[in-house]
Amino acid sequence: EIMAACMVIDFSRDIVVKALHISEKYKFSFFDSLIISAGLKAECPILYTEDLHHNQRVENRIKIINPFHDQ
């Protein structure tokens, strides 16, 4: 049901390589960088998470939003 309702991308070497680049450039953990890399591959404009920096842009393509951040 989830796969029918959502876009699912295949895990690939390109995602891992991009994650390594993001991790080094932005000093994120490798696993956070994998999530960001997959989001970039899927062309997601926003990543909702409470674990990263609110309002930060990564690769000038994806914006990190903490939904619990005080406005």
Side-chain angles (χ1 to χ4, degrees):
E1 289 179 37
I2 291 173
M3 290 181 72
C6 301
M7 179 176 47
V8 178
I9 60 167
D10 291 325
F11 188 75
S12 67
R13 182 179 189 279
D14 291 341
I15 290 175
V16 174
V17 170
K18 184 68 170 178
L20 291 168
H21 168 76
I22 290 168
S23 179
E24 184 176 313
K25 182 175 179 180
Y26 294 92
K27 307 301 182 207
F28 293 142
S29 76
F30 175 68
F31 294 106
D32 287 338
S33 298
L34 273 176
I35 294 167
I36 294 166
S37 179
L40 289 167
K41 177 77 173 182
E43 298 182 5
C44 297
I46 298 173
L47 172 64
Y48 293 99
T49 179
E50 59 183 302
D51 294 332
L52 298 171
H53 306 288
H54 180 69
N55 273 335
Q56 183 173 4
R57 292 193 68 81
V58 178
E59 301 296 287
N60 205 28
R61 292 177 41 214
I62 193 167
K63 185 175 184 178
I64 297 169
I65 298 292
N66 179 345
F68 304 109
H69 186 269
D70 293 331
Q71 299 296 333

